[in-house]
Amino acid sequence: MRKVSPQGRRFPPRALLSVDCGHRFPYVIEVSENLLFVRDLPSDLEGALVAQITDLHAGFGNTDAAFEAVWDYLEKVCPDMLLLTGDYIDDHLTARHYPLADLLCRLKAPLGIYAVFGNHDHRAGVAGVRKHLEAARIRLLCNESLCTPFGLWLVGVDDLHEGHPDVARAFADVPSTVMPVVLSHNPRLIELIPDQEAVILSGHTHGGQICLPFPTPAMVCRFHLGCRQVAGWYENGRARLYVSRGIGVTGYPMRYRCPAELALFRLQAAEA
């Protein structure tokens, strides 16, 4: 497996949203835009805008102002599809009564909103998180796949560490000729499916969240989270992966030299 350079060089410089979350420094959210190449992409989806939301960790870190900034930005750019890759609620005691459904209900996308669980969702209780997602009319994919109305195949895998992942079941109904977009909170999924032609969207790492010269973000992710992926694009065999740094925080309520991220993708047809 190797890390690859980000795509989307043709786009303008990445936007930065700076908000006051009551921290010592402004809370910065980077809006990144990438090309997402999918083989045999339906012509109706060429150029469609997809937004990935991950690692809100709502109820922890006083990041409501960051959520507001991201939600306002999404209302302006009007993504065609939203893909959510886990950790919507934090497992800290302060998150116990967070009105997550009210937050998620504000999300809109004409081609649908799809989601998978993250490890903190399991810690907080997936039954409750599932209710919040259902209240917001978000389609949960838990070890399953579906073909969207416009012909794009999506696969969702439960969290690899604290969930009940079943990769074989998740891909069981996907035709062998199809290149699906896969949602997996934990980026280590790319190590498990190198022979599967797929594009994976993940979170979990926060990009290291607090980036120091030592220990490095790669060391933190490797030894604390058990994964070699930190942020950005990776490939392994026929599988490609994008790891978003996510929007919220956990553990320690701050980021240092590691802005939060709202990842946007333009769907493009890939050559065979």
Side-chain angles (χ1 to χ4, degrees):
M1 182 188 66
R2 63 186 181 92
K3 185 167 185 178
V4 295
S5 300
Q7 302 180 56
R9 296 295 188 184
R10 70 186 66 181
F11 291 107
R14 298 183 173 193
L16 292 176
L17 309 177
S18 182
V19 296
D20 182 4
C21 287
H23 301 167
R24 182 178 178 183
F25 302 102
Y27 195 90
V28 177
I29 307 131
E30 180 182 34
V31 181
S32 62
E33 190 162 6
N34 302 268
L35 290 177
L36 187 62
F37 290 101
V38 178
R39 183 175 52 75
D40 295 331
L41 181 73
S43 58
D44 288 340
L45 294 179
E46 184 78 25
L49 182 63
V50 176
Q52 179 193 5
I53 296 175
T54 193
D55 294 273
L56 295 173
H57 290 277
F60 180 77
N62 196 35
T63 50
D64 282 15
F67 302 158
E68 288 297 322
V70 170
W71 265 231
D72 289 345
Y73 186 86
L74 289 173
E75 287 182 2
K76 293 177 182 178
V77 300
C78 301
D80 299 293
M81 182 181 293
L82 289 170
L83 301 178
L84 282 56
T85 49
D87 280 5
Y88 315 107
I89 196 81
D90 200 78
D91 63 328
H92 194 271
L93 291 178
T94 58
R96 182 172 298 173
H97 302 295
Y98 190 89
L100 181 61
D102 293 342
L103 179 66
L104 297 178
C105 279
R106 295 167 54 190
L107 294 173
K108 306 294 180 185
L111 299 185
I113 309 175
Y114 304 90
V116 292
F117 288 136
N119 59 309
H120 279 260
D121 301 319
H122 281 277
R123 294 179 190 177
V126 288
V129 175
R130 184 188 293 270
K131 290 180 180 179
H132 288 301
L133 294 172
E134 291 175 347
R137 297 183 178 181
I138 295 172
R139 176 68 161 87
L140 176 67
L141 295 172
C142 189
N143 300 321
E144 59 185 306
S145 63
L146 62 77
C147 184
T148 64
F150 283 89
L152 179 69
W153 276 86
L154 298 177
V155 176
V157 179
D158 198 7
D159 183 68
L160 297 184
H161 281 175
E162 300 186 44
H164 303 282
D166 190 333
V167 177
R169 177 184 169 191
F171 282 88
D173 296 329
V174 180
S176 59
T177 57
V178 165
M179 180 182 180
V181 175
V182 183
L183 309 184
S184 171
H185 179 69
N186 193 309
R188 282 196 62 242
L189 180 67
I190 193 174
E191 301 173 14
L192 306 180
I193 58 167
D195 297 327
Q196 173 71 49
E197 186 181 20
V199 181
I200 308 165
L201 302 184
S202 296
H204 186 51
T205 68
H206 297 208
Q209 188 172 307
I210 299 174
C211 293
L212 302 172
F214 186 86
T216 65
M219 293 172 65
V220 171
C221 292
R222 180 69 180 91
F223 295 105
H224 177 60
L225 300 178
C227 59
R228 296 178 175 86
Q229 305 80 16
V230 180
W233 285 102
Y234 296 81
E235 64 179 22
N236 186 28
R238 302 173 70 201
R240 288 178 57 84
L241 164 74
Y242 189 83
V243 185
S244 170
R245 297 187 301 273
I247 295 172
V249 293
T250 192
Y252 194 75
M254 69 168 291
R255 284 179 175 268
Y256 179 70
R257 299 179 66 185
C258 184
E261 180 182 7
L262 170 65
L264 301 181
F265 302 88
R266 289 283 180 186
L267 292 179
Q268 297 286 311
E271 296 181 0

